[in-house]
Amino acid sequence: MASELIQIKKFKKASIQEINATYFNNYPIVYILYTNAKKETAYIGQTVHLQRRMQKHLSDASIKKLDTALFIGNEKFNQSATYNIETNLINFFIADKKYELQNKSQTMDSKMHDYYNKEYYDQTFFKHIWEELRQHKVVRESLEDLRNKDVFKLSPYKELSAEQMDLKYHIIDYCKKHINDEQHSIFFIEGDAGTGKSVVLSSTFNTIQDLSYDKSSKLYGTKNYLLVNHQEMLKTYKEISESLPNLKKKSFMKPTSFINQQMKSDAATADIVFVDEAHLLLSKKDSYNNFNQDNHLEEIIKQSKITIVVFDRRQVLKLKSYWDSKMLDSIKKGLHSEVFMLTNQFRIQAEERVLNWIDAFSNKKVLDLPDNKKDSFELKIFSDADKMYQEIRKKNEEYGLSRLVATFDYMHKKDGQDYFIEEGNFKLPWNRTHYKNTWAEQECTIDEVGSIYTIQGFDLNYVGVILGPSVSYNFEKQELEIITTKYEDLEAFRGRDDISKDKMSEIKQQIILNSINVLMKRGINGLYIYASDPKLQQKLMSLYK
């Protein structure tokens, strides 16, 4: 690559002054300050004034401890390009996990914007830089492997769309405005699966935590938490905290643990509490899981000055987590509250007609297959589960992070310690949840089938969905028929005696439809479907005629 230059120097005043190459003194540059001491630490930046910026860093006690400086210069650099490369480096360093970063979010504006030749700098040029860094042993893993990691996808430094950035600063302003109010405040973020709710939450929480250490901020000294009632996502958030200075593992908790901690007599009220995947909060007492109050959200609000809630009613998967508008209105009564809707789909890289087909299916309607020959997104129906599995294996070899998932219909197929899905010649273990890291990132899970509990909230490149016996088709009504007695998630239908029998039947069906919605919206580049039920399989295969 013409006129590109990487220099590595000792991070000392004399060494910095030795730099006199044209591309470092007259052009914007990107730099990495790092140490490979016992605690490997790094700082990533970009500047148009190299000598001035380095002098400032050398006067900073924490950054001064870094002993090596790596500079990246190029005659084609402009500041948009160096900013873009800086942001990419931070995201990939977080996923690579070699260094703990000293970067703080107040100095970054992660709003997505275009500039001339962005694709070249963002992909071709950046890939070249990363491979150079690997050769210098500054980083370890390939870009392809890192892109498939959940810590990369949920990084607080991911570029945000205009809508997402607007929401982020709206939340921060909301917190500054209401942090000293006597009245509790609640801010709802709503949006369908794939609209980037968790990405915004991750970015905003990181900035809030940075502000809590900034003496000039109204949020200085605040005690804040991020809660999620989802073990797999909790693992990811805690992994991210290992790479950033002001994120601490103790700030990430499950709701019940937080509530029980706060109810101790000496516990001070938390300041700002973020709740991701709030559709998984309990709306009923659950003594089995050590929750002895009536409602998770209500208790969290009591124990925090400001509550920021991410909610999608189409992802409620259990009766004890069931919410309706009446319940939510009751909780908000007497509180200062706001609602922000996210609408743009970021996960599924498909045309609107494909998204409409998926939405219709999870609302019981089976539409004609959209003509997506010109669409890079693959929507395919299979009559053989094993053939679908083989296709998913091929996609996994080519792109990585491709997996099978299934509805919760296979608790009766136990063999030893595992439950199995058997469909003709197809037989694989299902719903293993014992892994330390997230299920889909384990290489061995290509030979397993996941469930809503292993995959909710996460992305896959390609997803193969097995619709079990609870999902059939009614040819007279021309719609899906949901058979709740065949749905084997017994925990999903337990724990509510305050709902009428007729209403209960409707809610159970909706929970199963919600689970289908969750499973079908995992794939970025493709969705494959196999139906176990003969009627539904007949209907789906007829779509090709």
Side-chain angles (χ1 to χ4, degrees):
M1 192 166 292
S3 304
E4 184 178 332
L5 192 62
I6 288 183
Q7 287 193 17
I8 299 178
K9 297 278 188 180
K10 289 290 184 183
F11 185 44
K12 294 180 179 179
K13 185 176 181 179
S15 299
I16 300 303
Q17 288 176 339
E18 290 175 2
I19 297 174
N20 56 15
T22 302
Y23 306 132
F24 290 139
N25 291 325
N26 298 324
Y27 289 83
I29 69 159
V30 180
Y31 61 91
I32 304 169
L33 309 177
Y34 63 98
T35 179
N36 288 318
K38 187 176 180 180
K39 184 178 181 181
E40 295 180 303
T41 310
Y43 181 93
I44 298 168
Q46 62 87 32
T47 183
V48 293
H49 301 291
L50 184 149
Q51 297 291 345
R52 190 188 307 167
R53 179 64 60 84
M54 292 305 109
Q55 290 299 325
K56 183 178 180 181
H57 284 325
L58 283 165
S59 66
D60 185 311
S62 60
I63 295 180
K64 188 178 180 180
K65 294 177 182 178
L66 308 177
D67 55 29
T68 307
L70 184 151
F71 303 103
I72 305 166
N74 189 278
E75 66 177 350
K76 295 181 180 179
F77 271 175
N78 57 67
Q79 197 156 23
S80 289
T82 55
Y83 165 77
N84 197 167
I85 291 166
E86 174 196 28
T87 304
N88 281 343
L89 283 171
I90 292 172
N91 285 320
F92 283 105
F93 264 63
I94 289 171
D96 194 53
K97 295 177 64 176
K98 181 177 179 180
Y99 294 96
E100 179 182 311
L101 295 180
Q102 291 191 0
N103 290 77
K104 297 178 183 178
S105 58
Q106 298 102 302
T107 60
M108 305 288 292
D109 183 355
S110 301
K111 181 181 180 297
M112 187 182 295
H113 69 275
D114 289 324
Y115 60 90
Y116 177 70
N117 223 5
K118 179 179 181 181
E119 185 177 354
Y120 165 75
Y121 290 105
D122 202 32
Q123 298 178 29
T124 305
F125 193 93
F126 185 77
K127 184 175 182 179
H128 184 78
I129 290 173
W130 191 261
E131 289 308 311
E132 287 279 322
L133 293 177
R134 290 185 78 191
Q135 288 178 27
H136 287 293
K137 300 189 183 302
V138 178
V139 296
R140 295 180 290 203
E141 298 191 54
S142 70
L143 293 177
E144 290 73 20
D145 288 340
L146 294 173
R147 282 193 184 98
N148 285 330
K149 289 193 173 185
D150 291 316
V151 289
F152 173 76
K153 295 175 181 177
L154 210 56
S155 166
Y157 286 91
K158 292 302 287 290
E159 286 186 322
L160 302 179
S161 69
E163 180 188 42
Q164 290 172 319
M165 184 59 76
D166 183 40
L167 171 56
K168 174 177 177 175
Y169 284 109
H170 194 148
I171 294 170
I172 293 170
D173 290 343
Y174 184 89
C175 291
K176 289 177 179 177
K177 182 178 180 181
H178 296 288
I179 190 63
N180 294 316
D181 289 359
E182 292 185 9
Q183 182 185 38
H184 294 279
S185 300
I186 184 165
F187 190 104
F188 275 92
I189 304 163
E190 296 193 33
D192 197 4
T195 52
K197 301 182 297 296
S198 294
V199 172
V200 177
L201 207 67
S202 178
S203 178
T204 309
F205 184 70
N206 183 54
T207 300
I208 291 285
Q209 288 301 80
D210 284 346
L211 292 172
S212 74
Y213 286 86
D214 180 357
K215 292 182 179 180
S216 67
S217 172
K218 289 183 179 180
L219 301 179
Y220 174 67
T222 52
K223 188 177 181 182
N224 313 310
Y225 295 88
L226 192 155
L227 314 179
V228 60
N229 203 27
H230 186 315
Q231 187 60 35
E232 298 293 302
M233 288 202 75
L234 189 61
K235 292 175 188 175
T236 300
Y237 278 121
K238 288 192 173 186
E239 274 192 79
I240 291 171
S241 72
E242 294 171 359
S243 299
L244 291 171
N246 294 327
L247 293 183
K248 312 299 180 187
K249 282 189 176 181
K250 64 182 181 180
S251 299
F252 298 92
M253 303 177 73
K254 280 195 167 184
T256 298
S257 300
F258 168 78
I259 292 165
N260 291 339
Q261 168 188 285
Q262 291 300 115
M263 291 191 72
K264 294 176 181 177
S265 58
D266 59 342
T269 302
D271 291 299
I272 307 166
V273 176
F274 290 69
V275 186
D276 200 3
E277 306 280 343
H279 35 269
L280 302 179
L281 292 177
L282 298 174
S283 55
K284 200 68 179 174
K285 178 179 178 180
D286 186 1
S287 54
Y288 178 78
N289 288 304
N290 204 28
F291 178 62
N292 299 309
Q293 290 74 39
D294 291 328
N295 184 293
H296 261 161
L297 183 55
E298 195 169 13
E299 295 303 318
I300 291 168
I301 292 169
K302 287 179 184 177
Q303 301 298 335
S304 57
K305 294 179 182 177
I306 300 172
T307 314
I308 312 296
V309 179
V310 164
F311 184 76
D312 178 4
R313 62 193 70 215
R314 287 300 314 275
Q315 293 195 61
V316 173
L317 301 174
K318 294 182 179 181
L319 278 174
K320 60 187 179 184
S321 298
Y322 173 72
W323 301 84
D324 59 20
S325 298
K326 185 178 179 180
M327 292 176 66
L328 290 171
D329 288 344
S330 174
I331 285 174
K332 289 190 288 185
K333 190 175 182 180
L335 305 177
H336 185 280
S337 66
E338 287 190 25
V339 178
F340 191 106
M341 293 290 299
L342 282 172
T343 57
N344 294 324
Q345 174 63 239
F346 290 100
R347 176 182 296 130
I348 304 173
Q349 301 300 304
E351 297 291 335
E352 187 173 356
R353 57 186 179 273
V354 175
L355 297 172
N356 291 340
W357 191 93
I358 297 171
D359 284 336
F361 194 94
S362 62
N363 283 293
K364 300 177 75 171
K365 297 297 181 184
V366 182
L367 305 179
D368 290 338
L369 283 175
D371 178 13
N372 64 330
K373 292 178 182 178
K374 296 180 181 179
D375 195 341
S376 60
F377 187 90
E378 290 187 60
L379 175 60
K380 295 173 68 174
I381 312 295
F382 289 79
S383 60
D384 185 311
D386 192 62
K387 286 184 178 179
M388 183 171 78
Y389 167 52
Q390 297 306 326
E391 285 296 310
I392 286 292
R393 284 188 63 87
K394 289 178 184 177
K395 292 298 183 184
N396 190 61
E397 289 174 8
E398 188 174 358
Y399 302 104
L401 208 64
S402 301
R403 295 291 186 270
L404 293 178
V405 296
T407 51
F408 221 93
D409 294 327
Y410 296 96
M411 294 288 283
H412 61 292
K413 299 285 187 180
K414 194 164 187 180
D415 184 352
Q417 295 298 313
D418 284 316
Y419 295 99
F420 279 81
I421 293 180
E422 294 183 58
E423 294 289 344
N425 295 326
F426 175 86
K427 181 179 180 181
L428 284 181
W430 169 72
N431 194 37
R432 286 178 172 171
T433 58
H434 63 277
Y435 298 107
K436 181 180 179 181
N437 296 319
T438 52
W439 174 82
E441 289 184 6
Q442 309 300 312
E443 289 185 17
C444 61
T445 58
I446 185 59
D447 296 315
E448 300 178 15
V449 184
S451 75
I452 46 176
Y453 300 118
T454 58
I455 207 64
Q456 186 174 27
F458 296 111
D459 295 347
L460 293 169
N461 288 325
Y462 289 83
V463 62
V465 178
I466 298 173
L467 299 171
S470 67
V471 193
S472 183
Y473 191 77
N474 188 315
F475 283 94
E476 288 186 13
K477 294 182 178 180
Q478 294 188 6
E479 65 179 23
L480 293 185
E481 183 174 352
I482 304 300
I483 308 171
T484 58
T485 54
K486 292 186 177 182
Y487 193 67
E488 298 190 22
D489 187 357
L490 302 180
E491 189 66 22
F493 293 161
R494 184 178 289 144
R496 295 304 288 259
D497 52 11
D498 58 333
I499 300 173
S500 68
K501 187 175 180 180
D502 289 343
K503 184 70 173 176
M504 180 69 78
S505 176
E506 177 188 329
I507 294 172
K508 284 182 177 181
Q509 287 194 46
Q510 189 58 57
I511 283 174
I512 297 173
L513 290 169
N514 287 354
S515 74
I516 294 169
N517 181 59
V518 168
L519 296 178
M520 285 189 165
K521 290 181 176 176
R522 296 305 101 192
I524 297 170
N525 300 312
L527 166 63
Y528 298 164
I529 302 170
Y530 166 81
S532 170
D533 178 82
K535 292 180 181 178
L536 181 55
Q537 187 175 125
Q538 179 185 342
K539 173 60 181 177
L540 290 174
M541 295 311 299
S542 74
L543 300 178
Y544 283 115
K545 296 176 182 177

